[in-house]
């Protein structure tokens, strides 16, 4: 950085080193410097969000993902971690909206059905949750995740015989 303190590649390398050493605040400093120079820098923006999430600062992580998606709407892949964080922060309507956006672009996105199912289960809309987990199971029939979530939902609803 002595040669060029504004070098994005150098800042990214320093941020990666700091993350490997679990120096989160130092990594955030480098990443935020990049974002001041290039507000739509995808790697820096996502890295900031992931660092916040790793520190349990889910609201900050969610806000960072939302900011990145606003700046880079073509990056539909940001909807998935954003929806996952929305679940963790109890913002189920946000999670539902983002999962539905994912499914508009890719109706075979099993992860989006899992997010929908989880959001509906947490909102105690059990029948809707079951329907979404069944859709996920149809998309990826050999994956255990949808079946596991379906069983958890049946148990939560007291429908033990269906679990």
């Amino acid at each position: 950085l002595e040669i060029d303190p504004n070098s994005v590649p150098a800042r990214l390398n320093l941020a990666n080193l700091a993350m490997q050493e679990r120096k989160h605040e130092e990594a955030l400093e480098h990443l935020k410097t990049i974002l001041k120079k290039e507000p739509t820098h995808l790697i820096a923006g996502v890295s900031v969000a992931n660092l916040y999430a790793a520190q349990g600062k889910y609201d900050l992580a969610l806000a960072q993902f939302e900011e990145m998606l606003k700046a880079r709407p073509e990056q539909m892949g940001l909807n998935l971690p954003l929806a996952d964080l929305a679940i963790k922060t109890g913002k189920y309507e946000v999670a539902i909206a983002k999962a539905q956006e994912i499914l508009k672009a890719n109706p075979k996105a099993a992860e989006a059905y899992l997010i929908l199912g989880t959001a509906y289960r947490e909102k105690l809309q059990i029948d809707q949750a079951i329907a979404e987990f069944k859709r996920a199971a149809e998309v990826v029939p050999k994956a255990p995740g949808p079946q596991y979530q379906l069983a958890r939902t049946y148990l939560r609803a007291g429908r033990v015989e269906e679990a």
Side-chain angles (χ1 to χ4, degrees), residues 45-59:
V46 170
S47 295
V48 166
N50 288 333
L51 275 171
Y52 284 145
Q55 294 174 322
K57 299 175 181 176
Y58 298 122
D59 285 330

Side-chain angles (χ1 to χ4, degrees), residues 43-98:
I43 294 170
V46 170
S47 295
V48 166
N50 288 333
L51 275 171
Y52 284 145
Q55 294 174 322
K57 299 175 181 176
Y58 298 122
D59 285 330
L60 289 174
L62 188 63
Q64 181 64 35
F65 273 119
E66 287 174 337
E67 191 175 311
M68 290 306 299
L69 194 54
K70 189 176 183 181
R72 303 279 301 265
E74 76 282 2
Q75 295 295 328
M76 289 294 295
L78 295 175
N79 280 315
L80 190 60
L82 198 157
D84 188 49
L85 283 167
I87 293 281
K88 288 179 177 156
T89 57
K91 296 177 179 167
Y92 304 121
E93 294 305 321
V94 171
I96 290 167
K98 293 302 172 184

Side-chain angles (χ1 to χ4, degrees), residues 3-137:
I3 297 171
D4 182 5
N6 294 314
S7 169
V8 170
R11 289 271 180 191
L12 275 176
N13 285 334
L14 288 170
N16 283 330
L17 286 172
M19 284 187 278
Q20 288 173 4
E21 295 174 359
R22 300 207 186 283
K23 296 178 180 176
H24 294 198
E25 293 307 317
E26 183 180 324
L28 280 170
E29 182 182 317
H30 291 300
L31 294 167
K32 286 179 179 180
T33 299
I34 294 169
L35 290 173
K36 283 179 188 168
K37 184 177 179 185
E38 296 181 26
T40 62
H41 194 284
L42 188 63
I43 294 170
V46 170
S47 295
V48 166
N50 288 333
L51 275 171
Y52 284 145
Q55 294 174 322
K57 299 175 181 176
Y58 298 122
D59 285 330
L60 289 174
L62 188 63
Q64 181 64 35
F65 273 119
E66 287 174 337
E67 191 175 311
M68 290 306 299
L69 194 54
K70 189 176 183 181
R72 303 279 301 265
E74 76 282 2
Q75 295 295 328
M76 289 294 295
L78 295 175
N79 280 315
L80 190 60
L82 198 157
D84 188 49
L85 283 167
I87 293 281
K88 288 179 177 156
T89 57
K91 296 177 179 167
Y92 304 121
E93 294 305 321
V94 171
I96 290 167
K98 293 302 172 184
Q100 289 171 339
E101 284 183 43
I102 294 166
L103 289 168
K104 282 181 190 170
N106 180 8
K108 299 244 182 230
E111 300 91 351
Y113 291 115
L114 290 171
I115 287 168
L116 284 173
T118 302
Y120 287 127
R121 182 178 59 215
E122 295 305 312
K123 290 179 63 168
L124 301 177
Q125 296 176 1
I126 300 301
D127 290 337
Q128 188 65 35
I130 289 168
E132 299 301 342
F133 290 134
K134 284 182 177 180
R135 286 186 186 101

